[in-house]
């Protein structure tokens, strides 16, 4: 199957079977999503959603958070991965939002990346989820699923994966496709042992195709 056809088939399946795909992080405004995405680095959304209610109750705005101490923030997020670094980033992010952006979360990816704790992935999440821009955030799920299925070829970095996906996914589907791939990787195409038996898109998957050939050879 040619790559273009593979993309078309996969997108068509998700369109029909998962027309609405959204982040599982809980938030009510751009500031809250930005905090949640920073916290979600190498941490599950479930864990983040357990921490943020108390954090947002104490610091409902970037202005409030900017007046906290790193230790104060740490006490709210101690159960996540790398809490010291994230507390430092959140405080720096809040101060910069207040001082340079008038508390408005920017919609430009380059501007977003100026904020402490915000890399390209986080910036793309904010741009796509909040501002509905055609930005493809590549996390571990997107990176893994894209490679397994054959949507990307020999991609060594998240940026390479992003570029390959953007080449074939129509602009109007990019933001949703990010969530399609994440959710598929989180619940079906899991890291250690993908659930190929229950997966509905194996006929378009390069990994499944290879595994089937191996099994046939082994049974001869």
């Amino acid at each position: 199957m040619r790559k273009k056809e593979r993309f078309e088939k996969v997108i068509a399946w998700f369109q029909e079977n998962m027309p609405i795909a959204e982040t599982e992080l809980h938030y009510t405004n751009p500031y809250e999503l930005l905090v949640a995405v920073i916290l979600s680095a190498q941490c599950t959304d479930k864990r983040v959603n357990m921490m943020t209610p108390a954090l947002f109750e104490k610091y409902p705005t970037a202005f409030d958070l900017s007046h906290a101490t790193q230790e104060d923030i740490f006490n709210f997020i101690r159960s996540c991965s790398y809490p010291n670094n994230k507390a430092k980033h959140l405080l720096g992010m809040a101060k910069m939002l207040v001082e340079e952006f008038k508390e408005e979360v920017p919609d430009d990816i380059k501007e977003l990346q100026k904020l402490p704790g915000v890399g390209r992935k986080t910036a793309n999440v904010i741009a796509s989820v909040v501002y509905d821009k055609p930005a493809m955030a590549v996390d571990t799920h997107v990176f893994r699923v894209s490679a397994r299925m054959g949507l990307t070829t020999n991609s060594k970095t998240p940026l390479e994966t992003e570029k390959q996906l953007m080449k074939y996914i129509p602009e109007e589907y990019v933001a949703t496709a990010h969530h399609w791939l994440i959710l598929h990787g989180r619940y079906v195409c899991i890291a250690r042992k993908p659930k190929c038996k229950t997966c509905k898109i194996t006929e378009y998957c390069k990994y499944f195709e290879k595994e089937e050939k191996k099994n046939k050879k082994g049974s001869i």
Side-chain angles (χ1 to χ4, degrees):
M1 183 180 291
R2 296 175 67 86
K3 184 174 281 191
K4 185 175 183 294
E5 184 185 1
R6 193 185 305 276
F7 268 92
E8 289 172 350
K9 296 286 189 183
V10 169
I11 290 170
W13 187 89
F14 277 118
Q15 273 185 289
E16 183 176 347
N17 295 278
M18 200 188 293
I20 298 174
E22 301 172 328
T23 179
E24 293 186 313
L25 291 170
H26 298 165
Y27 71 99
T28 61
N29 55 54
Y31 155 72
E32 288 187 358
L33 181 62
L34 181 54
V35 170
V37 177
I38 290 173
L39 288 173
S40 72
Q42 295 180 301
C43 185
T44 65
D45 287 1
K46 184 178 179 181
R47 171 64 59 184
V48 173
N49 290 335
M50 291 169 65
M51 294 184 289
T52 50
L55 181 68
F56 294 149
E57 183 178 358
K58 179 72 174 180
Y59 309 111
T61 68
F63 179 82
D64 295 314
L65 190 63
S66 71
H67 285 78
T69 66
Q70 188 174 325
E71 185 179 1
D72 290 335
I73 298 171
F74 174 87
N75 288 329
F76 282 96
I77 66 169
R78 61 169 67 243
S79 65
C80 75
S81 56
Y82 309 106
N84 280 309
N85 281 341
K86 289 178 181 177
K88 180 181 178 182
H89 289 153
L90 287 177
L91 182 58
M93 176 275 291
K95 287 182 175 179
M96 186 176 284
L97 267 187
V98 171
E99 294 167 5
E100 296 190 27
F101 296 101
K102 298 179 181 179
E103 290 193 75
E104 292 290 326
V105 176
D107 62 355
D108 181 79
I109 290 172
K110 288 184 178 179
E111 291 289 289
L112 281 162
Q113 289 183 87
K114 292 178 181 178
L115 297 166
V118 178
R120 186 173 181 86
K121 185 207 81 173
T122 298
N124 281 340
V125 170
I126 300 301
S128 64
V129 175
V130 175
Y131 299 108
D132 201 29
K133 292 195 169 187
M136 174 57 70
V138 178
D139 69 351
T140 54
H141 295 303
V142 174
F143 188 84
R144 178 182 72 255
V145 171
S146 300
R148 269 187 183 163
M149 291 183 66
L151 299 178
T152 58
T153 308
N154 299 321
S155 175
K156 304 293 189 236
T157 67
L159 183 58
E160 285 181 16
T161 293
E162 179 186 333
K163 288 179 178 178
Q164 289 189 40
L165 292 174
M166 291 293 286
K167 182 179 178 181
Y168 288 95
I169 298 175
E171 189 174 290
E172 64 268 30
Y173 299 131
V174 170
T176 308
H178 158 72
H179 297 298
W180 285 336
L181 294 171
I182 283 179
L183 295 172
H184 191 64
R186 187 171 290 164
Y187 298 110
V188 182
C189 195
I190 56 179
R192 292 186 180 180
K193 193 175 181 181
K195 300 177 181 178
C196 296
K197 288 183 179 180
T198 57
C199 179
K200 306 299 183 183
I201 50 178
T202 50
E203 62 183 299
Y204 317 128
C205 178
K206 212 166 189 177
Y207 172 85
F208 182 76
E209 187 182 314
K210 288 179 180 177
E211 289 299 300
E212 285 290 280
K213 286 180 180 178
K214 283 182 188 177
N215 293 334
K216 284 180 181 178
K217 284 183 180 179
S219 62
I220 294 174

